[in-house]
Amino acid sequence: MSNVETEPAQKRCGPTRNEGPQPDAGQVEVLTPRDVPLGGPRAMRVRRTLPQRARTLIGAWCFADHYGPDDVTRTGGMDVAPHPHIGLQTVSWLFSGEIEHRDSLGTHAYVRPGELNLMTGGHGICHSEVSTPTTTVLHGVQLWVALPSEHRDTDRDFQHYVPGPVQVAGAELRVFLGSLAGSVSPVRTFTPLLGAELTLAPRTTVTLPVDPAFEHGLLVDQGEIHLNDSPVHAAELGYVPAGTDTLTLHNAATEPSRAVLLGGTPFEEEIIMWWNFIARSTEAIAQAREDWMAGRRFGEVKGYDGDSLPAPVLPNVPLKPRGNRR
């Protein structure tokens, strides 16, 4: 899924804006989501925790949408027409349902629960995403990773990976990017990253060794998890800055809880993020928009029944700076 808002936010994200006190190593900052409709009168709604005013990046993770459980018989499900990307990787992860993916590499693949699809749109790629007819409940996360400057124009690519479950005391992990608890993903990324689904048994406390060079975000899908003693409710994201070598997660409930753990080394570059594009200047964004509308650069999605998404109108002022508090 992508950012198909008709009036996308203007963001220039970077690491050096001081807007108030920051959490110390091990302390938790809780980010609450905003509700976003993905186009149309029967739009599926998503909960967006990144980017927002309090924080725009966790490592190179720059976008996080959490959606469902969505009854597609009522909402119509997901039908995102072909649309473009530059300067990023898309990370698709489902808890239930199935999504058909087509892109301008010629990839025809499916997003299924517990299976990672990672698409790289450096210089330019386009794709479509449609929930399948057999899907009754759609539930998952869509994430973006910003590409560092030296790789921002890299070739388009697509990777698929099915991580096996890893059991630790009181929890099950599926590591789809990076490494955790001895499980290592083979998926290529351009900055050090961590991505894992965690399921905690009822009334369980788990302490996970993590890389102290990473900052981390815990996006809770179901239940309530105490992260380093701070409660993080369903749909919230708990942020922990770099400098800690363990994360302690506690599920006090009588039902299992589930979350997605994200991490990475702090991203030390400014980026501009608008619609489905990540670049380093307003001019680069404008050129990508022009190329998309003129049918250049991004290739073609074959097999989708319908027109491509038109790009929104750019504002007539430079995209405004905004970034993480440090």
Short mmCIF file of all heavy atoms in Angstrom, two decimals, residues 253-317:
data_model
loop_
_atom_site.label_atom_id
_atom_site.label_comp_id
_atom_site.label_asym_id
_atom_site.label_seq_id
_atom_site.Cartn_x
_atom_site.Cartn_y
_atom_site.Cartn_z
N ALA A 253 -1.73 -9.29 29.87
CA ALA A 253 -3.09 -9.75 29.60
C ALA A 253 -3.17 -11.28 29.59
O ALA A 253 -2.17 -11.99 29.62
CB ALA A 253 -3.55 -9.20 28.26
N THR A 254 -4.41 -11.76 29.54
CA THR A 254 -4.65 -13.21 29.48
C THR A 254 -4.75 -13.71 28.05
O THR A 254 -5.03 -14.89 27.83
CB THR A 254 -5.95 -13.55 30.23
OG1 THR A 254 -7.03 -12.79 29.65
CG2 THR A 254 -5.83 -13.21 31.71
N GLU A 255 -4.55 -12.83 27.09
CA GLU A 255 -4.55 -13.20 25.67
C GLU A 255 -3.18 -12.84 25.07
O GLU A 255 -2.49 -11.94 25.57
CB GLU A 255 -5.65 -12.45 24.91
CG GLU A 255 -7.06 -12.72 25.40
CD GLU A 255 -7.49 -14.15 25.12
OE1 GLU A 255 -7.00 -14.73 24.13
OE2 GLU A 255 -8.32 -14.67 25.88
N PRO A 256 -2.79 -13.51 23.98
CA PRO A 256 -1.52 -13.14 23.34
C PRO A 256 -1.57 -11.71 22.81
O PRO A 256 -2.64 -11.17 22.51
CB PRO A 256 -1.41 -14.15 22.19
CG PRO A 256 -2.31 -15.29 22.56
CD PRO A 256 -3.43 -14.67 23.34
N SER A 257 -0.42 -11.09 22.72
CA SER A 257 -0.29 -9.77 22.11
C SER A 257 0.69 -9.88 20.95
O SER A 257 1.54 -10.77 20.90
CB SER A 257 0.18 -8.73 23.12
OG SER A 257 1.43 -9.09 23.67
N ARG A 258 0.55 -8.94 20.00
CA ARG A 258 1.38 -9.01 18.79
C ARG A 258 1.85 -7.61 18.42
O ARG A 258 1.12 -6.63 18.57
CB ARG A 258 0.59 -9.63 17.63
CG ARG A 258 1.39 -9.79 16.34
CD ARG A 258 0.64 -10.64 15.34
NE ARG A 258 -0.64 -10.08 15.00
CZ ARG A 258 -1.62 -10.76 14.40
NH1 ARG A 258 -1.46 -12.04 14.10
NH2 ARG A 258 -2.77 -10.17 14.11
N ALA A 259 3.08 -7.54 17.90
CA ALA A 259 3.65 -6.25 17.51
C ALA A 259 4.67 -6.46 16.41
O ALA A 259 5.11 -7.59 16.13
CB ALA A 259 4.32 -5.58 18.72
N VAL A 260 5.04 -5.36 15.77
CA VAL A 260 6.13 -5.35 14.79
C VAL A 260 7.24 -4.47 15.36
O VAL A 260 7.00 -3.31 15.72
CB VAL A 260 5.67 -4.82 13.42
CG1 VAL A 260 6.84 -4.67 12.47
CG2 VAL A 260 4.61 -5.76 12.82
N LEU A 261 8.44 -5.04 15.45
CA LEU A 261 9.60 -4.31 15.97
C LEU A 261 10.44 -3.82 14.79
O LEU A 261 10.86 -4.62 13.94
CB LEU A 261 10.44 -5.22 16.87
CG LEU A 261 11.71 -4.61 17.47
CD1 LEU A 261 11.37 -3.43 18.38
CD2 LEU A 261 12.51 -5.67 18.22
N LEU A 262 10.68 -2.51 14.76
CA LEU A 262 11.50 -1.88 13.72
C LEU A 262 12.74 -1.29 14.36
O LEU A 262 12.70 -0.83 15.50
CB LEU A 262 10.70 -0.77 13.03
CG LEU A 262 9.34 -1.15 12.46
CD1 LEU A 262 8.64 0.09 11.91
CD2 LEU A 262 9.47 -2.22 11.38
N GLY A 263 13.84 -1.26 13.63
CA GLY A 263 15.05 -0.66 14.16
C GLY A 263 16.02 -0.31 13.06
O GLY A 263 15.91 -0.77 11.92
N GLY A 264 16.98 0.52 13.42
CA GLY A 264 18.02 0.90 12.47
C GLY A 264 18.92 1.96 13.06
O GLY A 264 18.58 2.61 14.05
N THR A 265 20.10 2.13 12.47
CA THR A 265 20.98 3.21 12.88
C THR A 265 20.36 4.53 12.47
O THR A 265 19.71 4.63 11.42
CB THR A 265 22.36 3.06 12.22
OG1 THR A 265 22.20 2.94 10.81
CG2 THR A 265 23.08 1.84 12.75
N PRO A 266 20.48 5.59 13.28
CA PRO A 266 19.88 6.89 12.95
C PRO A 266 20.27 7.33 11.54
O PRO A 266 21.43 7.23 11.14
CB PRO A 266 20.44 7.82 14.02
CG PRO A 266 20.68 6.93 15.20
CD PRO A 266 21.14 5.63 14.61
N PHE A 267 19.29 7.79 10.79
CA PHE A 267 19.49 8.19 9.39
C PHE A 267 20.00 9.62 9.38
O PHE A 267 19.28 10.55 9.73
CB PHE A 267 18.16 8.07 8.65
CG PHE A 267 18.28 8.07 7.15
CD1 PHE A 267 18.72 6.94 6.49
CD2 PHE A 267 17.94 9.19 6.41
CE1 PHE A 267 18.82 6.91 5.11
CE2 PHE A 267 18.03 9.18 5.03
CZ PHE A 267 18.48 8.04 4.37
N GLU A 268 21.23 9.80 8.96
CA GLU A 268 21.91 11.08 9.13
C GLU A 268 21.85 11.96 7.87
O GLU A 268 22.80 12.67 7.57
CB GLU A 268 23.38 10.84 9.51
CG GLU A 268 23.55 10.06 10.81
CD GLU A 268 23.05 10.81 12.03
OE1 GLU A 268 22.82 12.04 11.93
OE2 GLU A 268 22.88 10.18 13.08
N GLU A 269 20.76 11.91 7.15
CA GLU A 269 20.58 12.74 5.97
C GLU A 269 19.23 13.41 6.00
O GLU A 269 18.29 12.89 6.58
CB GLU A 269 20.66 11.89 4.69
CG GLU A 269 21.97 11.19 4.46
CD GLU A 269 21.93 10.39 3.16
OE1 GLU A 269 21.28 10.84 2.20
OE2 GLU A 269 22.55 9.31 3.12
N GLU A 270 19.15 14.56 5.36
CA GLU A 270 17.85 15.18 5.13
C GLU A 270 17.23 14.58 3.87
O GLU A 270 17.93 14.28 2.89
CB GLU A 270 17.99 16.69 4.94
CG GLU A 270 18.19 17.45 6.23
CD GLU A 270 17.90 18.93 6.07
OE1 GLU A 270 18.01 19.42 4.92
OE2 GLU A 270 17.58 19.57 7.07
N ILE A 271 15.92 14.39 3.93
CA ILE A 271 15.18 13.94 2.76
C ILE A 271 13.93 14.78 2.62
O ILE A 271 13.47 15.41 3.58
CB ILE A 271 14.79 12.45 2.86
CG1 ILE A 271 13.90 12.20 4.08
CG2 ILE A 271 16.03 11.57 2.89
CD1 ILE A 271 13.38 10.78 4.18
N ILE A 272 13.41 14.83 1.41
CA ILE A 272 12.09 15.42 1.18
C ILE A 272 11.16 14.29 0.78
O ILE A 272 11.49 13.49 -0.09
CB ILE A 272 12.12 16.51 0.10
CG1 ILE A 272 12.92 17.72 0.58
CG2 ILE A 272 10.70 16.94 -0.25
CD1 ILE A 272 12.99 18.85 -0.43
N MET A 273 10.01 14.23 1.43
CA MET A 273 9.04 13.17 1.20
C MET A 273 7.71 13.81 0.81
O MET A 273 7.15 14.61 1.57
CB MET A 273 8.90 12.36 2.48
CG MET A 273 8.00 11.18 2.40
SD MET A 273 8.25 10.21 3.92
CE MET A 273 6.68 9.41 4.05
N TRP A 274 7.24 13.48 -0.39
CA TRP A 274 5.97 14.02 -0.90
C TRP A 274 5.29 12.95 -1.73
O TRP A 274 5.91 12.35 -2.62
CB TRP A 274 6.21 15.28 -1.73
CG TRP A 274 4.96 15.88 -2.30
CD1 TRP A 274 4.09 16.73 -1.68
CD2 TRP A 274 4.42 15.65 -3.61
NE1 TRP A 274 3.04 17.04 -2.51
CE2 TRP A 274 3.23 16.39 -3.71
CE3 TRP A 274 4.83 14.89 -4.70
CZ2 TRP A 274 2.43 16.39 -4.85
CZ3 TRP A 274 4.04 14.88 -5.85
CH2 TRP A 274 2.86 15.64 -5.92
N TRP A 275 4.00 12.73 -1.45
CA TRP A 275 3.21 11.68 -2.12
C TRP A 275 3.96 10.36 -2.00
O TRP A 275 4.19 9.91 -0.89
CB TRP A 275 2.91 12.08 -3.57
CG TRP A 275 1.83 11.26 -4.21
CD1 TRP A 275 0.65 10.86 -3.65
CD2 TRP A 275 1.84 10.74 -5.54
NE1 TRP A 275 -0.08 10.13 -4.55
CE2 TRP A 275 0.62 10.03 -5.71
CE3 TRP A 275 2.73 10.79 -6.61
CZ2 TRP A 275 0.28 9.39 -6.92
CZ3 TRP A 275 2.39 10.16 -7.81
CH2 TRP A 275 1.18 9.47 -7.96
N ASN A 276 4.33 9.73 -3.13
CA ASN A 276 5.05 8.46 -3.10
C ASN A 276 6.53 8.60 -3.42
O ASN A 276 7.18 7.62 -3.79
CB ASN A 276 4.41 7.48 -4.10
CG ASN A 276 2.99 7.14 -3.71
OD1 ASN A 276 2.72 6.72 -2.60
ND2 ASN A 276 2.06 7.35 -4.63
N PHE A 277 7.04 9.81 -3.28
CA PHE A 277 8.42 10.09 -3.66
C PHE A 277 9.26 10.49 -2.45
O PHE A 277 8.79 11.22 -1.57
CB PHE A 277 8.47 11.26 -4.66
CG PHE A 277 7.69 11.03 -5.93
CD1 PHE A 277 7.06 12.09 -6.56
CD2 PHE A 277 7.59 9.77 -6.51
CE1 PHE A 277 6.35 11.91 -7.74
CE2 PHE A 277 6.89 9.57 -7.69
CZ PHE A 277 6.26 10.66 -8.31
N ILE A 278 10.53 10.05 -2.46
CA ILE A 278 11.52 10.54 -1.51
C ILE A 278 12.71 11.03 -2.31
O ILE A 278 13.24 10.31 -3.16
CB ILE A 278 11.95 9.45 -0.52
CG1 ILE A 278 10.78 9.10 0.42
CG2 ILE A 278 13.15 9.90 0.30
CD1 ILE A 278 11.11 8.04 1.43
N ALA A 279 13.12 12.28 -2.05
CA ALA A 279 14.22 12.88 -2.81
C ALA A 279 14.99 13.82 -1.89
O ALA A 279 14.77 13.86 -0.68
CB ALA A 279 13.67 13.61 -4.03
N ARG A 280 15.89 14.59 -2.49
CA ARG A 280 16.73 15.51 -1.73
C ARG A 280 16.43 16.97 -2.06
O ARG A 280 17.03 17.86 -1.46
CB ARG A 280 18.22 15.23 -1.99
CG ARG A 280 18.69 13.83 -1.57
CD ARG A 280 18.38 13.53 -0.13
NE ARG A 280 18.98 12.29 0.36
CZ ARG A 280 18.43 11.09 0.24
NH1 ARG A 280 17.28 10.94 -0.39
NH2 ARG A 280 19.03 10.03 0.75
N SER A 281 15.52 17.22 -3.00
CA SER A 281 15.19 18.59 -3.36
C SER A 281 13.78 18.64 -3.94
O SER A 281 13.26 17.65 -4.45
CB SER A 281 16.18 19.14 -4.41
OG SER A 281 16.02 18.46 -5.64
N THR A 282 13.19 19.84 -3.86
CA THR A 282 11.88 20.05 -4.46
C THR A 282 11.94 19.82 -5.97
O THR A 282 11.01 19.27 -6.57
CB THR A 282 11.37 21.47 -4.16
OG1 THR A 282 11.31 21.64 -2.75
CG2 THR A 282 10.00 21.72 -4.76
N GLU A 283 13.07 20.21 -6.58
CA GLU A 283 13.23 20.06 -8.03
C GLU A 283 13.21 18.58 -8.44
O GLU A 283 12.63 18.23 -9.47
CB GLU A 283 14.54 20.71 -8.49
CG GLU A 283 14.57 22.22 -8.37
CD GLU A 283 14.73 22.73 -6.95
OE1 GLU A 283 15.14 21.94 -6.07
OE2 GLU A 283 14.45 23.93 -6.71
N ALA A 284 13.82 17.72 -7.63
CA ALA A 284 13.82 16.30 -7.95
C ALA A 284 12.42 15.71 -7.83
O ALA A 284 12.01 14.85 -8.63
CB ALA A 284 14.79 15.55 -7.04
N ILE A 285 11.66 16.16 -6.83
CA ILE A 285 10.27 15.73 -6.69
C ILE A 285 9.46 16.18 -7.90
O ILE A 285 8.69 15.40 -8.49
CB ILE A 285 9.66 16.30 -5.40
CG1 ILE A 285 10.36 15.73 -4.16
CG2 ILE A 285 8.16 16.05 -5.35
CD1 ILE A 285 10.00 14.34 -3.77
N ALA A 286 9.62 17.44 -8.29
CA ALA A 286 8.88 17.97 -9.43
C ALA A 286 9.21 17.22 -10.71
O ALA A 286 8.32 16.95 -11.54
CB ALA A 286 9.17 19.46 -9.58
N GLN A 287 10.49 16.85 -10.89
CA GLN A 287 10.88 16.11 -12.09
C GLN A 287 10.25 14.72 -12.11
O GLN A 287 9.79 14.24 -13.15
CB GLN A 287 12.40 16.00 -12.18
CG GLN A 287 12.90 15.36 -13.46
CD GLN A 287 12.54 16.19 -14.68
OE1 GLN A 287 12.95 17.34 -14.79
NE2 GLN A 287 11.78 15.60 -15.60
N ALA A 288 10.24 14.06 -10.95
CA ALA A 288 9.62 12.74 -10.87
C ALA A 288 8.13 12.82 -11.18
O ALA A 288 7.58 11.96 -11.90
CB ALA A 288 9.84 12.14 -9.48
N ARG A 289 7.46 13.84 -10.66
CA ARG A 289 6.04 14.01 -10.96
C ARG A 289 5.82 14.22 -12.45
O ARG A 289 4.92 13.62 -13.06
CB ARG A 289 5.47 15.19 -10.16
CG ARG A 289 3.98 15.38 -10.39
CD ARG A 289 3.45 16.69 -9.84
NE ARG A 289 2.01 16.77 -10.05
CZ ARG A 289 1.44 17.10 -11.21
NH1 ARG A 289 2.19 17.40 -12.26
NH2 ARG A 289 0.12 17.12 -11.32
N GLU A 290 6.64 15.09 -13.04
CA GLU A 290 6.51 15.36 -14.48
C GLU A 290 6.74 14.09 -15.30
O GLU A 290 6.00 13.80 -16.25
CB GLU A 290 7.52 16.45 -14.88
CG GLU A 290 7.48 16.80 -16.37
CD GLU A 290 8.52 17.85 -16.72
OE1 GLU A 290 8.83 18.71 -15.87
OE2 GLU A 290 9.05 17.78 -17.86
N ASP A 291 7.75 13.32 -14.92
CA ASP A 291 8.05 12.08 -15.65
C ASP A 291 6.89 11.09 -15.55
O ASP A 291 6.54 10.42 -16.52
CB ASP A 291 9.32 11.44 -15.09
CG ASP A 291 10.57 12.22 -15.46
OD1 ASP A 291 10.51 13.06 -16.37
OD2 ASP A 291 11.63 11.98 -14.82
N TRP A 292 6.29 10.99 -14.36
CA TRP A 292 5.16 10.07 -14.18
C TRP A 292 3.98 10.50 -15.05
O TRP A 292 3.39 9.67 -15.75
CB TRP A 292 4.75 10.01 -12.71
CG TRP A 292 3.49 9.23 -12.46
CD1 TRP A 292 2.30 9.73 -12.00
CD2 TRP A 292 3.29 7.83 -12.63
NE1 TRP A 292 1.38 8.72 -11.88
CE2 TRP A 292 1.97 7.54 -12.26
CE3 TRP A 292 4.12 6.78 -13.06
CZ2 TRP A 292 1.44 6.25 -12.31
CZ3 TRP A 292 3.59 5.50 -13.11
CH2 TRP A 292 2.26 5.24 -12.74
N MET A 293 3.65 11.76 -15.03
CA MET A 293 2.50 12.22 -15.79
C MET A 293 2.74 12.13 -17.30
O MET A 293 1.79 12.01 -18.08
CB MET A 293 2.15 13.65 -15.39
CG MET A 293 1.71 13.80 -13.93
SD MET A 293 0.26 12.80 -13.51
CE MET A 293 -1.02 13.71 -14.39
N ALA A 294 4.02 12.17 -17.73
CA ALA A 294 4.35 12.08 -19.15
C ALA A 294 4.60 10.64 -19.60
O ALA A 294 4.87 10.41 -20.79
CB ALA A 294 5.59 12.93 -19.44
N GLY A 295 4.51 9.68 -18.69
CA GLY A 295 4.72 8.29 -19.06
C GLY A 295 6.17 7.91 -19.27
O GLY A 295 6.47 6.96 -20.00
N ARG A 296 7.07 8.63 -18.61
CA ARG A 296 8.50 8.35 -18.73
C ARG A 296 9.03 7.73 -17.42
O ARG A 296 8.42 7.87 -16.38
CB ARG A 296 9.29 9.63 -18.99
CG ARG A 296 8.94 10.37 -20.27
CD ARG A 296 9.91 11.54 -20.51
NE ARG A 296 9.88 12.53 -19.46
CZ ARG A 296 9.21 13.68 -19.54
NH1 ARG A 296 8.50 13.97 -20.63
NH2 ARG A 296 9.24 14.54 -18.53
N ARG A 297 10.17 7.05 -17.52
CA ARG A 297 11.01 6.70 -16.38
C ARG A 297 10.54 5.51 -15.56
O ARG A 297 11.36 4.72 -15.08
CB ARG A 297 11.15 7.92 -15.48
CG ARG A 297 11.99 7.77 -14.22
CD ARG A 297 12.09 9.11 -13.54
NE ARG A 297 12.74 9.08 -12.27
CZ ARG A 297 13.01 10.16 -11.56
NH1 ARG A 297 12.70 11.37 -12.03
NH2 ARG A 297 13.60 10.09 -10.39
N PHE A 298 9.26 5.34 -15.33
CA PHE A 298 8.78 4.39 -14.34
C PHE A 298 8.39 3.03 -14.91
O PHE A 298 8.14 2.10 -14.15
CB PHE A 298 7.60 4.98 -13.56
CG PHE A 298 7.98 6.16 -12.72
CD1 PHE A 298 7.84 7.45 -13.20
CD2 PHE A 298 8.53 5.98 -11.46
CE1 PHE A 298 8.21 8.54 -12.43
CE2 PHE A 298 8.90 7.06 -10.68
CZ PHE A 298 8.75 8.35 -11.17
N GLY A 299 8.31 2.90 -16.22
CA GLY A 299 7.89 1.65 -16.82
C GLY A 299 6.38 1.49 -16.77
O GLY A 299 5.63 2.45 -16.53
N GLU A 300 5.93 0.26 -16.95
CA GLU A 300 4.49 -0.02 -17.08
C GLU A 300 4.11 -1.24 -16.25
O GLU A 300 4.85 -2.22 -16.20
CB GLU A 300 4.16 -0.27 -18.55
CG GLU A 300 2.71 -0.62 -18.83
CD GLU A 300 2.47 -1.00 -20.28
OE1 GLU A 300 3.44 -0.98 -21.06
OE2 GLU A 300 1.31 -1.33 -20.61
N VAL A 301 2.95 -1.14 -15.60
CA VAL A 301 2.39 -2.29 -14.89
C VAL A 301 1.43 -3.00 -15.84
O VAL A 301 0.45 -2.42 -16.29
CB VAL A 301 1.65 -1.85 -13.61
CG1 VAL A 301 0.96 -3.05 -12.95
CG2 VAL A 301 2.60 -1.18 -12.63
N LYS A 302 1.72 -4.26 -16.13
CA LYS A 302 0.87 -5.03 -17.04
C LYS A 302 -0.03 -5.96 -16.23
O LYS A 302 0.39 -6.53 -15.23
CB LYS A 302 1.73 -5.84 -18.01
CG LYS A 302 2.54 -4.96 -18.95
CD LYS A 302 3.35 -5.79 -19.94
CE LYS A 302 4.12 -4.89 -20.89
NZ LYS A 302 4.92 -5.66 -21.87
N GLY A 303 -1.29 -6.05 -16.65
CA GLY A 303 -2.22 -6.96 -16.02
C GLY A 303 -3.19 -6.32 -15.07
O GLY A 303 -4.11 -6.99 -14.57
N TYR A 304 -3.03 -5.00 -14.79
CA TYR A 304 -3.98 -4.31 -13.92
C TYR A 304 -5.13 -3.78 -14.78
O TYR A 304 -4.92 -3.15 -15.81
CB TYR A 304 -3.32 -3.15 -13.17
CG TYR A 304 -4.29 -2.38 -12.31
CD1 TYR A 304 -4.62 -2.83 -11.04
CD2 TYR A 304 -4.90 -1.21 -12.77
CE1 TYR A 304 -5.53 -2.14 -10.24
CE2 TYR A 304 -5.80 -0.52 -11.99
CZ TYR A 304 -6.11 -0.99 -10.72
OH TYR A 304 -7.02 -0.31 -9.94
N ASP A 305 -6.36 -4.01 -14.35
CA ASP A 305 -7.54 -3.60 -15.11
C ASP A 305 -7.98 -2.21 -14.65
O ASP A 305 -8.80 -2.08 -13.74
CB ASP A 305 -8.67 -4.62 -14.91
CG ASP A 305 -9.88 -4.30 -15.77
OD1 ASP A 305 -9.75 -3.50 -16.73
OD2 ASP A 305 -10.96 -4.84 -15.48
N GLY A 306 -7.43 -1.18 -15.26
CA GLY A 306 -7.80 0.18 -14.91
C GLY A 306 -6.68 1.15 -15.20
O GLY A 306 -5.59 0.77 -15.65
N ASP A 307 -6.96 2.42 -14.97
CA ASP A 307 -5.99 3.47 -15.24
C ASP A 307 -5.02 3.63 -14.07
O ASP A 307 -5.32 3.27 -12.93
CB ASP A 307 -6.71 4.81 -15.47
CG ASP A 307 -7.59 4.78 -16.72
OD1 ASP A 307 -7.24 4.05 -17.67
OD2 ASP A 307 -8.62 5.47 -16.71
N SER A 308 -3.88 4.23 -14.36
CA SER A 308 -2.92 4.56 -13.32
C SER A 308 -3.40 5.75 -12.51
O SER A 308 -4.26 6.53 -12.95
CB SER A 308 -1.56 4.89 -13.95
OG SER A 308 -1.03 3.77 -14.62
N LEU A 309 -2.85 5.91 -11.30
CA LEU A 309 -3.19 7.05 -10.46
C LEU A 309 -2.49 8.30 -10.98
O LEU A 309 -1.28 8.29 -11.21
CB LEU A 309 -2.73 6.82 -9.03
CG LEU A 309 -3.54 5.85 -8.16
CD1 LEU A 309 -2.86 5.70 -6.81
CD2 LEU A 309 -4.96 6.34 -7.99
N PRO A 310 -3.20 9.40 -11.15
CA PRO A 310 -2.52 10.66 -11.48
C PRO A 310 -1.85 11.23 -10.24
O PRO A 310 -2.30 11.01 -9.11
CB PRO A 310 -3.67 11.56 -11.93
CG PRO A 310 -4.88 11.04 -11.20
CD PRO A 310 -4.67 9.55 -11.08
N ALA A 311 -0.77 11.95 -10.44
CA ALA A 311 -0.09 12.59 -9.32
C ALA A 311 -0.86 13.81 -8.86
O ALA A 311 -1.44 14.54 -9.67
CB ALA A 311 1.32 13.00 -9.73
N PRO A 312 -0.89 14.08 -7.55
CA PRO A 312 -1.50 15.32 -7.07
C PRO A 312 -0.72 16.53 -7.60
O PRO A 312 0.39 16.41 -8.11
CB PRO A 312 -1.36 15.21 -5.55
CG PRO A 312 -1.08 13.79 -5.28
CD PRO A 312 -0.37 13.25 -6.47
N VAL A 313 -1.33 17.69 -7.45
CA VAL A 313 -0.68 18.93 -7.86
C VAL A 313 0.33 19.34 -6.79
O VAL A 313 0.02 19.34 -5.60
CB VAL A 313 -1.73 20.05 -8.06
CG1 VAL A 313 -1.05 21.37 -8.40
CG2 VAL A 313 -2.70 19.65 -9.17
N LEU A 314 1.53 19.67 -7.23
CA LEU A 314 2.55 20.16 -6.30
C LEU A 314 2.18 21.55 -5.79
O LEU A 314 1.61 22.36 -6.54
CB LEU A 314 3.91 20.25 -6.98
CG LEU A 314 4.83 19.03 -6.89
CD1 LEU A 314 5.99 19.20 -7.85
CD2 LEU A 314 5.34 18.85 -5.47
N PRO A 315 2.51 21.87 -4.55
CA PRO A 315 2.30 23.24 -4.08
C PRO A 315 3.22 24.19 -4.84
O PRO A 315 4.25 23.79 -5.38
CB PRO A 315 2.68 23.16 -2.60
CG PRO A 315 3.57 21.97 -2.49
CD PRO A 315 3.10 21.00 -3.52
N ASN A 316 2.83 25.47 -4.89
CA ASN A 316 3.62 26.44 -5.64
C ASN A 316 4.70 27.11 -4.79
O ASN A 316 5.20 28.18 -5.14
CB ASN A 316 2.72 27.49 -6.29
CG ASN A 316 1.87 28.23 -5.27
OD1 ASN A 316 2.05 28.05 -4.07
ND2 ASN A 316 0.95 29.05 -5.75
N VAL A 317 5.04 26.49 -3.67
CA VAL A 317 6.13 26.95 -2.81
C VAL A 317 7.04 25.76 -2.55
O VAL A 317 6.61 24.60 -2.65
CB VAL A 317 5.61 27.53 -1.48
CG1 VAL A 317 4.77 28.78 -1.72
CG2 VAL A 317 4.79 26.48 -0.72
#
